[in-house]
Amino acid sequence: MIAFCILAIMFATHASEPYIGDTEPLVVHIEALEPAIHGPRVTGTTPGRPFIFLIPATGEAPLSFAAQDLPKGLKLDETTGIIFGAVHTAGKYMVRIEVRNAKGHASRDLAIIAGEHMLALTPPMGWNPWNVWSRDIDDAKVRDAADWMVNSGLAAHGYQYVNIDDCWEGQRDANGVIHSNERFPDMGALADYIHTKGLRFGIYSSPGKETCAGYPGSLGFEQQDAKTYAEWGADYLKYDWCSYKVASMNLAEMQKPFEVMSEALDACGRDIVYSLSQAGTANIWEWGAALNVNLWRTTGDIRDTWESVSGIGFSQVGHETYAGPGHWNDPDMLVVGWLKWQKGPTHLTPTEQVAHISLWSLLAAPLLVGCDMAKLDPFTRDLLTNDEVIDIDQDAMGKSASRVAQCNTITVMAKLLEGTFAERWFNREPQAWGDVWARPLGDGTMAVGLFNRGEIPGVIATTWDVLGLEGPQPVRDVWRHKDLGEYDSSFSAKIPPHGAVLLKIGRPALRK
Ligand code: GLA
């Protein structure tokens, strides 16, 4: 691994000047008046179950929508762009969607796949309140988040789920039916409110007697709870391992409670994305998909510090083989924007935030925003709505990135200077070191992230060899929407500490 990167850096140092993007903003925002369609290119549903999908689209208002070849059972609202109904028959339907305004029109294919267990065919994108509101959550705050999901423009770029985390739970009645507490007077009405915007609604529970915050969990009431969630109109369940006791930590016992809820969701009559939160215990990535789990947490709770984000993000090595359409690794929520810990903006610097979102997109991670949506500042909005970055995350092939090279620049410099001079000069542990992560995309190109994990600016490089590419290749900086030209066999960039450059390398195969 290290050898690759040393070679890469030596080669790049001699071959061409490293790319330095620091004369430009970290993130470039495009505000086009012409219509454009964004977000996932594939979505799934079970025949006969309610389906809702908002076509994510931007451009000068008013927009109007059209769809050709919708499967029987689905309808499009031409003014809102909401596709709704229930598909009659299993199959793969290529729907041509179109959006128009006074400036022009745009169209592209959306694959709707109807069958058993066809949920979360791309990583879920949305919002979860835990990292901003924690226990202090109520109906008004969730409605507010749904409003801002639309008003901020996030929904127009593919963000879809408005989820509730812990602390909504009230008591069970004499029949064992769970009710929401006084902060959520009518869960069904809240779900309806979210659905009228074309968005999807998420709920939370735990397999134990109590949730992590001490509210009633689902133990012994799994079928009943799944039925209640379906009646309310839930589209997503975060099932959080707390208070469930296992006699031994053997695999079958660990899996049991998740299997029980999986079967309950299957039987509940509604499509509910199944998200497990159990801090990455028992190598869940190895068995989650077999239980029809759509996403599983691979780590403990994230914080808005570089230590937390980089510690979680870069330790995902090896998990990539377990991710794919319908079953994703979840390295936890995005810690950008206005958060709870200091009741203010994230502790991450803008540079670190670019590295965070770059890595999560490469990992095909769910993009669940955890901030106060009403306080979305322009930088955070631009960070979350860069369509080229979202396209990497949402790529329909669903291959998660792997780390293809790792290096530390002290070693590299010592090598280049042919001695231990550099090591003595710095006289400490390596300060600048880098990772290269890459994933193949469905259009035949590679998404590649060059990361500087160190404390000083560094040149991080990759060669076509480690990426499996041959011959001259076009390189594009996706955060800045900028073609950088053709490179023969390697690419290097000077990157600030804790920063990243996110690239698309290669020629897209023709797409109809
Ligand atoms: C756990 C989860 C968090 C959040 C809380 C709620 O810590 O990992 O994401 O859901 O519980 O109590």
Side-chain angles (χ1 to χ4, degrees):
M1 229 14 141
I2 287 180
F4 276 143
C5 203
I6 291 170
L7 282 175
I9 286 201
M10 287 176 75
F11 183 83
T13 310
H14 296 302
S16 60
E17 287 298 309
Y19 169 57
I20 305 171
D22 49 10
T23 49
E24 297 174 55
L26 277 175
V27 171
V28 171
H29 176 66
I30 298 178
E31 191 78 67
L33 297 177
E34 292 75 22
I37 303 174
H38 312 288
R41 290 171 184 270
V42 57
T43 188
T45 181
T46 312
R49 294 187 169 194
F51 173 85
I52 189 159
F53 182 87
L54 172 70
I55 299 173
T58 52
E60 187 183 64
L63 297 172
S64 67
F65 297 83
Q68 280 170 27
D69 302 324
L70 272 178
K72 272 213 174 69
L74 294 189
K75 284 198 178 113
L76 167 74
D77 181 320
E78 292 174 3
T79 50
T80 60
I82 300 171
I83 300 174
F84 62 98
V87 177
H88 289 177
T89 316
K92 178 172 178 177
Y93 302 91
M94 288 310 273
V95 180
R96 192 76 189 166
I97 49 177
E98 187 182 73
V99 55
R100 284 181 179 276
N101 69 6
K103 302 281 186 236
H105 69 103
S107 63
R108 77 180 198 190
D109 286 341
L110 172 72
I112 298 181
I113 302 185
E116 295 290 306
H117 302 131
M118 286 294 159
L119 304 185
L121 297 180
T122 63
M125 296 172 67
W127 176 83
N128 174 297
W130 187 251
N131 288 340
V132 58
W133 301 123
S134 203
R135 293 166 183 250
D136 187 20
I137 186 67
D138 58 33
D139 177 283
K141 284 178 173 141
V142 178
R143 285 176 191 245
D144 196 48
D147 292 346
W148 281 105
M149 180 89 86
V150 175
N151 298 346
S152 67
L154 260 65
H157 292 270
Y159 292 82
Q160 197 175 26
Y161 289 92
V162 177
N163 295 345
I164 304 182
D165 207 278
D166 208 345
C167 306
W168 64 264
E169 305 87 343
Q171 296 305 315
R172 292 191 183 277
D173 63 22
N175 298 319
V177 175
I178 186 79
H179 293 269
S180 48
N181 60 38
E182 64 289 348
R183 293 192 300 272
F184 289 90
D186 187 340
M187 215 48 122
L190 176 58
D192 287 349
Y193 183 78
I194 291 168
H195 289 149
T196 55
K197 295 171 185 291
L199 302 175
R200 297 178 179 176
F201 167 63
I203 195 84
Y204 168 102
S205 191
S206 293
K209 269 195 172 146
E210 287 187 354
T211 67
C212 295
Y215 287 82
S218 291
L219 183 64
F221 295 94
E222 291 84 354
Q223 284 75 15
Q224 209 162 10
D225 284 359
K227 204 166 146 275
T228 303
Y229 305 152
E231 280 165 12
W232 284 340
D235 306 294
Y236 186 109
L237 170 68
K238 173 172 171 180
Y239 208 44
D240 199 4
W241 178 287
C242 276
S243 82
Y244 187 91
K245 296 274 183 301
V246 282
S248 84
M249 291 298 264
N250 79 46
L251 198 55
E253 287 208 42
M254 295 290 289
Q255 292 174 338
K256 197 166 156 228
F258 298 132
E259 197 172 359
V260 172
M261 184 50 93
S262 177
E263 285 166 5
L265 292 177
D266 263 358
C268 79
R270 190 173 171 91
D271 279 345
I272 299 184
V273 167
Y274 188 27
S275 155
L276 287 197
S277 172
Q278 37 52 274
T281 45
N283 288 357
I284 179 157
W285 40 87
E286 290 173 2
W287 47 270
L291 298 188
N292 299 316
V293 177
N294 298 116
L295 55 153
W296 48 76
R297 282 273 292 278
T298 53
T299 73
D301 287 4
I302 198 167
R303 284 290 309 261
D304 60 338
T305 62
W306 177 246
E307 290 65 36
S308 173
V309 167
S310 63
I312 288 175
F314 294 116
S315 67
Q316 300 303 306
V317 178
H319 294 162
E320 63 272 14
T321 46
Y322 303 102
H327 46 96
W328 308 103
N329 294 307
D330 175 5
D332 210 359
M333 294 170 272
L334 304 177
V335 277
V336 299
W338 191 275
L339 300 170
K340 68 181 177 189
W341 292 287
Q342 64 286 352
K343 296 197 169 30
T346 176
H347 267 123
L348 297 175
T349 65
T351 301
E352 291 168 344
Q353 294 176 55
V354 168
H356 175 27
I357 308 296
S358 300
L359 187 52
W360 262 237
S361 302
L362 284 162
L363 293 170
L367 299 180
L368 293 173
V369 183
C371 66
D372 182 348
M373 298 285 284
K375 293 203 178 88
L376 213 57
D377 58 285
F379 176 78
T380 312
R381 184 208 53 201
D382 296 352
L383 195 69
L384 295 172
T385 58
N386 182 306
D387 299 306
E388 294 193 50
V389 177
I390 291 173
D391 280 352
I392 292 173
D393 181 76
Q394 294 290 300
D395 187 71
M397 196 161 77
K399 291 259 182 241
S400 171
S402 52
R403 184 166 67 194
V404 295
Q406 193 177 35
C407 59
N408 80 57
T409 51
I410 301 301
T411 317
V412 173
M413 285 176 68
K415 194 99 184 155
L416 288 172
L417 295 168
E418 300 205 331
T420 53
F421 164 75
E423 275 159 302
R424 264 192 271 117
W425 182 37
F426 287 105
N427 194 26
R428 50 160 120 173
E429 287 297 296
Q431 289 175 307
W433 51 307
D435 268 25
V436 181
W437 290 69
R439 66 180 283 191
L441 300 174
D443 67 359
T445 64
M446 297 285 293
V448 181
L450 307 180
F451 295 88
N452 180 359
R453 299 175 58 181
E455 305 303 326
I456 57 170
V459 174
I460 313 296
T462 189
T463 61
W464 290 183
D465 270 0
V466 300
L467 299 174
L469 297 170
E470 268 179 35
Q473 301 289 342
V475 176
R476 183 169 170 83
D477 178 339
V478 300
W479 281 113
R480 300 181 176 107
H481 306 293
K482 191 175 167 190
D483 288 325
L484 305 180
E486 289 222 341
Y487 285 73
D488 285 343
S489 55
S490 68
F491 181 87
S492 64
K494 188 166 176 220
I495 301 177
H498 305 179
V501 168
L502 186 60
L503 306 165
K504 243 183 125 170
I505 304 182
R507 272 177 205 81
L510 286 179
R511 201 209 303 266
K512 72 176 178 102

